[in-house]
Amino acid sequence: MNYLDKYKADFKEYDLMEKDFIDDDKIWEQLNKWENPSKDDVRRVLGKAEKKIRLEPEEMAILIQNKDEETINEMYALASKLKREVYGDRIVFFAPLYISNKCANNCKYCGFRRENKMIERRTLTMDEISQEIRIMISEGQKRTVLVYGESPETDIDFICESIRQVYNTKCGNGEIRRANINCAPLSREELKKLKEVGIGTFQVFQETYHHETYRRMHPEGTIKGHYRWRLYAQDRALDVGLDDVAIGALFGLYDWRFEAIGLLYHTIHLEEKYNGVGPHTISFPRIEPAIGTDYASNPEYAVSDEDFKKLVAILRLSVPYTGLILTAREKPEVRREVIPLGVSQIDAGTRIGVGGYKKSMGNMMPDKEQFQLGDVRSLDDVIRETCETESLPSFCTACYRAGRTGEHFMEVAKSSFVHNFCMPNAILTLKEYLLDYAAGDTKEAGEKAISKYIDTLEDAKTRQFVIDALARMEKGERDIRV
Ligand code: SAM
Ligand code: SF4
């Protein structure tokens, strides 16, 4: 069978649907209706957001269309407040591992696309995966997202084998404790195999929710050309019990205001269909230049830094309990500015070339294959800065390992108990990092942050547990969690 026909039979389910849950005209109607909201309109929506109730698309449109400086600043202030209330001061760290850049698709914006002759194609062998993972572990990483192109070489059995390889690789005191997956949409049968192997989050970005733009970016005759196969990728994962799913859009392909509402409709669709379980995280990467890929240097709807900041705050206000991921595609100055507005996860020490961890020297990027990174600082540099700027870095993987996923995670996240898990576990995993991987000045900054945050733990029993655990860790124990 031709590879491109792989899911032909599965597509029928979606081809027969009269419509999907993205109504392009309706999104534009809402944006047009609220072209010039008043201060009162904006404040009414902020009043609802303050109660941490997920907003409706029309309410999001009001925030998006707000051009009044005073109430925009109120939006920023409330977004920061909600972030602190729901997530505390912690920020979770991860790093991606690019497994293969071979791809049968031809997405206009991506350096991995089939027609790009400017990149060297590679798929890591199992040994090479272990080598990369050992380097990541030795830098202090505990969480990764594995990234794959869509090709016969990286079929589901290969993906499962690579995940097992990641989990089985140990180095010193460390290991990867959570492997998330960013790969092409899969069938239910394939997703069942992913569940068996034990992944963290299953992540697929819709790229653009705008049907017509989607068609232009993803040529017909490629698997990715099928909009609905991708749009319902998370549904299929949830159908087979993979209950941590993530969504995202690639900003720059179409109007950012439309995409933001598209992300909200996707969230609502999942919440309504799956018992309140929405996406675990939302990603909102902006297109970055990529070698041999003209489109990526001149995207039609490039998002300015100012609009990007608004986008992050509006997402935080609209979906208070969904994690927001900001990647190293963004420059350090942008990251510093938008993290406080609502971001809960970032990557650092990232290499995006296939085999990039081995090839890189210090902070230098050896290749710029899929796109160019904006933040090439080492993990240690970013950890130190995070501690110095009043936040608490975390490598926590406890929820997933304790089965607090999907519906159960939502129950925990929606009550303030998140502080009783997330903050203590952030302290404990930061301590591991400081003991095993940190440079001298990072240790100092980290210990200061730990002392500060221990005092903020309200529950006396938890606080005592953490103090005792820190002492046990000094003596060599690892992987202690609440
Ligand atoms: N092949 C799979 C897919 O397309 O879903 C997963 C891997 S793909 C490399 C991961 C993500 O990279 C894509 O979903 C897209 O959003 C993002 N991406 C592609 N080209 C990019 C670019 N030029 N700049 C920033 N992100 C890009
Ligand atoms: Fe392939 Fe994914 Fe890149 Fe598209 S975005 S060319 S599917 S790797």
Side-chain angles (χ1 to χ4, degrees), residues 146-161:
L146 306 176
V147 185
Y148 309 79
E150 182 164 24
S151 91
E153 211 169 282
T154 54
D155 65 5
I156 187 62
D157 294 329
F158 175 89
I159 293 178
C160 290
E161 197 185 343

Side-chain angles (χ1 to χ4, degrees), residues 98 100 103 105 107 109-112 147-150 182-185 203-207 224 230 249-250 285-290 293 296 329 370-372:
Y98 279 68
S100 174
C103 194
N105 293 315
C107 313
Y109 45 82
C110 179
F112 290 179
V147 185
Y148 309 79
E150 182 164 24
N182 184 320
C183 66
Q203 187 182 56
V204 173
F205 304 158
Q206 184 61 23
E207 321 296 14
K224 190 142 166 187
R230 199 166 181 88
L250 182 58
R286 285 193 284 189
I287 295 186
E288 295 297 328
T293 309
R329 289 173 178 87
Q370 194 207 359
F371 52 80
Q372 290 174 19

Side-chain angles (χ1 to χ4, degrees), residues 126-136 169 358:
M126 292 303 142
D127 281 348
E128 286 169 331
I129 290 174
S130 282
Q131 279 175 25
E132 293 282 284
I133 289 291
R134 273 195 288 272
I135 298 169
M136 293 169 76
T169 302
K358 184 166 173 229

Side-chain angles (χ1 to χ4, degrees), residues 312-444:
V312 176
I314 291 169
L315 286 172
R316 179 69 304 137
L317 294 167
S318 306
V319 288
Y321 293 105
T322 309
L324 294 183
I325 300 182
L326 181 75
T327 70
R329 289 173 178 87
E330 299 298 337
K331 295 193 176 61
E333 1 3 321
V334 173
R335 298 181 107 189
R336 282 183 199 113
E337 187 151 6
V338 304
I339 287 172
L341 294 176
V343 172
S344 54
Q345 284 189 35
I346 60 171
D347 57 332
T350 293
R351 321 282 200 286
I352 53 171
V354 177
Y357 288 92
K358 184 166 173 229
K359 277 194 272 172
S360 66
M361 305 282 289
N363 288 349
M364 272 169 46
M365 291 305 302
D367 42 29
K368 301 180 170 80
E369 287 182 329
Q370 194 207 359
F371 52 80
Q372 290 174 19
L373 279 183
D375 189 349
V376 293
R377 292 174 296 168
S378 69
L379 174 63
D380 200 61
D381 284 346
V382 185
I383 293 283
R384 186 176 57 253
E385 182 181 290
T386 306
C387 293
E388 285 166 354
T389 51
E390 312 282 297
S391 294
L392 183 65
S394 173
F395 293 91
C396 180
T397 53
C399 276
Y400 149 72
R401 291 158 81 211
R404 294 192 293 266
T405 60
E407 211 176 323
H408 308 291
F409 174 79
M410 289 294 163
E411 272 165 24
V412 177
K414 283 185 181 171
S415 70
S416 294
F417 284 127
V418 85
H419 291 275
N420 294 340
F421 294 110
C422 301
M423 292 303 277
N425 286 328
I427 293 173
L428 296 174
T429 53
L430 175 61
K431 180 72 176 180
E432 276 191 314
Y433 178 83
L434 300 180
L435 286 169
D436 293 337
Y437 310 106
D441 41 358
T442 307
K443 270 196 180 120
E444 207 178 299

Side-chain angles (χ1 to χ4, degrees), residues 171-316:
C171 181
N173 284 330
E175 73 256 297
I176 294 294
R177 297 177 186 154
R178 177 175 175 128
N180 299 333
I181 303 297
N182 184 320
C183 66
L186 299 170
S187 67
R188 291 186 186 84
E189 287 314 306
E190 291 170 327
L191 286 157
K192 276 185 202 157
K193 293 189 180 179
L194 269 194
K195 183 171 165 59
E196 275 163 29
V197 98
I199 61 160
T201 309
F202 178 67
Q203 187 182 56
V204 173
F205 304 158
Q206 184 61 23
E207 321 296 14
T208 174
Y209 286 94
H210 187 248
H211 289 79
E212 208 273 313
T213 306
Y214 189 94
R215 259 191 297 281
R216 279 193 298 114
M217 294 299 136
H218 308 104
E220 231 179 290
T222 59
I223 295 177
K224 190 142 166 187
H226 202 290
Y227 178 98
R228 289 184 185 166
W229 177 243
R230 199 166 181 88
L231 191 65
Y232 290 91
Q234 290 79 4
D235 290 53
R236 294 191 296 278
L238 287 160
D239 287 343
V240 303
L242 263 178
D243 52 9
D244 266 1
V245 296
I247 64 173
L250 182 58
F251 281 82
L253 302 177
Y254 191 58
D255 195 309
W256 72 270
R257 299 169 303 169
F258 182 100
E259 304 293 16
I261 298 186
L263 287 166
L264 183 57
Y265 270 114
H266 202 163
T267 303
I268 294 171
H269 163 78
L270 295 174
E271 280 181 2
E272 285 178 349
K273 189 163 161 196
Y274 296 96
N275 234 345
V277 181
H280 188 65
T281 55
I282 297 182
S283 298
F284 37 87
R286 285 193 284 189
I287 295 186
E288 295 297 328
I291 199 161
T293 309
D294 290 346
Y295 184 89
S297 300
N298 292 299
E300 282 164 271
Y301 290 88
V303 181
S304 68
D305 288 353
E306 204 188 327
D307 284 340
F308 190 65
K309 189 174 162 190
K310 258 176 129 181
L311 166 71
V312 176
I314 291 169
L315 286 172
R316 179 69 304 137

